[in-house]
Amino acid sequence: MFIPYSCDAPLYYRPFGTIGLIVVNTVVFFAHHLGALPVEPWVLEYGTGCHPQEWLLCNFAHADLGHLLGNMLFLWVFGLIVEGKLGAAKFLSCYLAIGLLHAAIEQTLMLGYGGSTEGSLGASAAIFGIMAMACVWAPANEVSIFVWIFWVVHFTFEMSVGVLAAIYVGWEVVLVGLHFALGGAAVATSGEAFATSSWLHLLGVLIGAPLAIVMLKRGVVDCEGWDLFSVLSGDTGADAQAKRAAEPILEETLAVRREEKLQEGLRRFEAYLAIGQASQAQGVRRRMSDMGMPLSLTARQHAALVVGLHKEGKWVESAPVMAEYLAEHRDNADPVRIKLAQICVLQLERPHKALELLKQVDQSGLSDGQRELFRKVAVAAKQRVEAGEIEIDDAAW
C-alpha cells in the first residue's frame, strides 16, 4: 500500500476547500450506498446525449470504498498545494472547472458509443488535473509517503511532487498503450479505448497543466521562483530573483515592481499569521530582507507575530522580534519588556540584559499579574547575576 499523506510546500491558506470536497464526496458516497440517494443521476452516461447536470454530479460519485479512499488521499495531498497558493474560492473554481470540462468532453466524444460500458463516475480526472497544477507550481517540494507491505513492513519516505506526478502520469500512459496493444485495431476504432479510466485521468492532466501555466504566467499565483520552468532552467528561488533584479529595467518600472513585491510579501506574511504559522511568516520577513525589501510592520502585526512565535514555543526566535517592537512602538511596551526579560533569563541566559530591560519598566501602569511577573523575573535575574552566570552578548538585537 502506497499512501501519500502530506507535503512540505508553503501554504498561504488553510485547506478549507479541500476538506469541504472530501466531506461532500464522502457524504455522497455513503448516501448512495445506504440508499438515501439514487446513483443513476450521478453517473455520466454514454450515448444518450449531453446532460450538463451530469458533468457536475459525476465528479462527486464513486463506485466503491477503495475508489473513494484512493481519490480522497490524492485530493488531500495535491489539494493542499494548489489551495495553499490560491485560497478556497479560486481552488474550488479550478477544481470544478477541470471536472466540468473533462466530463463535457468525455460525454461529447462518447455520444455515438454503443458498447457495454454505460458511463463513468468519480473525481479522478479532476484530481489528476489538480495534480498537474501542483506539479507546475511546486515540482521540487517533497511529498511524504507511507508504505505498508503485507500488513507487516511499513516505512515512510519523501518524493518530490514532480517525480510523483511523473510516475502516475507515466503509469497511465503505459496502461493506455497496453490497452491499444492488447485490443488491437478494433479497440482503437471504437469508443471503448476512450472509455478507459487511464484516458480520463490523462484528460484531467491535459486540462490542469495548461490552466496552471496560464495562471502562473498571468501572476495569479506566486511560486517564489520554484515553479516547473524555474526548476527546469536552474534559476530557482533567490537565484531567479537575483537574475531578474540584474536585468535592465526602467527606474519607474523598478519602483512599481518593488512596491508590488512589498505588498505581496505583506500579503504572504499576513496569510501565514492568519493560519497560525508564525515561523513561516517570520521566514517571509527574512526573505524580503535578504532581497533588500524589509517589511515594515504595524504594532498589531508585530504583536501578532510575537504571540504566534510564543504559541509555537519559538522563544529564542521571538526575542529579536520583541526588541524590534520596543524600538519601533511605544504602545503596550512595558508588558513586552517584562516578557522579553523573562525570555532573557529562562531561554537566552542573559540576566544582565533582563535587569536592564526591567529598569525601563514603569510599574505604576502594570496590572497585578504583570507586577507579579515583574517581581519573579527580577528575582530570578538577580539570583543568576549573583551566582556569577556568564552572559554571552547576542549582537542580533
Side-chain angles (χ1 to χ4, degrees), residues 77-149:
V77 172
F78 295 115
L80 280 177
I81 300 171
V82 176
E83 184 177 4
K85 294 184 180 298
L86 288 179
K90 291 180 181 177
F91 165 71
L92 290 174
S93 298
C94 290
Y95 182 91
L96 293 175
I98 295 170
L100 286 166
L101 184 56
H102 110 266
I105 293 172
E106 180 184 348
Q107 193 170 62
T108 300
L109 291 175
M110 299 302 292
L111 283 176
Y113 177 55
S116 59
T117 303
E118 297 180 353
S120 69
L121 74 174
S124 302
I127 294 169
F128 265 78
I130 294 298
M131 179 186 73
M133 297 180 73
C135 183
V136 172
W137 292 347
N141 284 102
E142 299 287 327
V143 174
S144 297
I145 298 171
F146 177 76
V147 178
W148 198 347
I149 304 174

Side-chain angles (χ1 to χ4, degrees), residues 280-327:
Q280 294 280 14
Q282 182 66 349
V284 171
R285 291 188 70 208
R286 282 195 294 268
R287 290 193 293 274
M288 294 298 293
S289 294
D290 290 343
M291 291 189 293
M293 292 181 284
L295 299 180
S296 178
L297 303 185
T298 64
R300 180 194 63 79
Q301 290 169 326
H302 253 129
L305 179 57
V306 170
V307 171
L309 290 171
H310 288 175
K311 286 181 178 178
E312 294 180 9
K314 306 290 186 180
W315 306 105
V316 175
E317 292 84 348
S318 73
V321 180
M322 297 173 77
E324 289 174 11
Y325 181 98
L326 294 174

Side-chain angles (χ1 to χ4, degrees), residues 141-209:
N141 284 102
E142 299 287 327
V143 174
S144 297
I145 298 171
F146 177 76
V147 178
W148 198 347
I149 304 174
F150 298 122
W151 307 94
V152 176
V153 179
H154 55 85
F155 58 91
T156 60
F157 69 99
E158 280 70 44
M159 179 184 294
S160 72
V161 171
V163 171
L164 182 62
I167 289 174
Y168 276 92
V169 172
W171 177 245
E172 300 301 332
V173 171
V174 169
L175 291 179
V176 169
L178 288 174
H179 192 78
F180 274 106
L182 296 176
V187 170
T189 57
S190 73
E192 187 179 351
F194 186 79
T196 61
S197 61
S198 295
W199 271 115
L200 306 182
H201 296 167
L202 292 176
L203 178 58
V205 172
L206 292 175
I207 297 171

Side-chain angles (χ1 to χ4, degrees), residues 162-378:
V163 171
L164 182 62
I167 289 174
Y168 276 92
V169 172
W171 177 245
E172 300 301 332
V173 171
V174 169
L175 291 179
V176 169
L178 288 174
H179 192 78
F180 274 106
L182 296 176
V187 170
T189 57
S190 73
E192 187 179 351
F194 186 79
T196 61
S197 61
S198 295
W199 271 115
L200 306 182
H201 296 167
L202 292 176
L203 178 58
V205 172
L206 292 175
I207 297 171
L211 176 61
I213 293 171
V214 170
M215 295 177 75
L216 176 67
K217 297 302 183 182
R218 286 183 167 272
V220 177
V221 63
D222 181 9
C223 300
E224 300 183 14
W226 287 99
D227 57 88
L228 180 62
F229 302 102
S230 298
V231 170
L232 292 177
S233 67
D235 294 328
T236 55
D239 292 337
Q241 292 164 348
K243 185 175 180 180
R244 288 195 295 269
E247 296 174 353
I249 306 173
L250 291 176
E251 187 173 342
E252 297 83 357
T253 304
L254 186 61
V256 171
R257 187 172 296 180
R258 177 185 175 85
E259 183 60 28
E260 288 175 349
K261 284 186 175 293
L262 281 170
Q263 292 302 317
E264 177 61 20
L266 277 172
R267 186 193 68 77
R268 293 201 302 270
F269 172 84
E270 287 277 15
Y272 277 129
L273 281 185
I275 62 175
Q277 296 186 20
S279 294
Q280 294 280 14
Q282 182 66 349
V284 171
R285 291 188 70 208
R286 282 195 294 268
R287 290 193 293 274
M288 294 298 293
S289 294
D290 290 343
M291 291 189 293
M293 292 181 284
L295 299 180
S296 178
L297 303 185
T298 64
R300 180 194 63 79
Q301 290 169 326
H302 253 129
L305 179 57
V306 170
V307 171
L309 290 171
H310 288 175
K311 286 181 178 178
E312 294 180 9
K314 306 290 186 180
W315 306 105
V316 175
E317 292 84 348
S318 73
V321 180
M322 297 173 77
E324 289 174 11
Y325 181 98
L326 294 174
E328 298 177 18
H329 312 291
R330 293 184 178 182
D331 296 339
N332 206 34
D334 283 339
V336 175
R337 286 193 180 93
I338 297 171
K339 191 65 179 179
L340 180 55
Q342 183 184 31
I343 293 172
C344 285
V345 173
L346 300 179
Q347 304 293 331
L348 305 180
E349 299 180 352
R350 299 189 61 186
H352 290 279
K353 182 65 176 180
L355 291 174
E356 178 185 325
L357 288 165
L358 293 177
K359 287 180 182 178
Q360 302 173 47
V361 173
D362 179 7
Q363 296 185 55
S364 63
L366 301 179
S367 66
D368 292 340
Q370 290 167 346
R371 286 196 186 92
E372 180 62 18
L373 179 59
F374 177 95
R375 186 190 65 79
K376 289 181 178 179
V377 174

Side-chain angles (χ1 to χ4, degrees), residues 377-390:
V377 174
V379 170
K382 290 176 182 177
Q383 288 175 345
R384 296 199 177 197
V385 169
E386 291 170 358
E389 183 170 307
I390 298 175

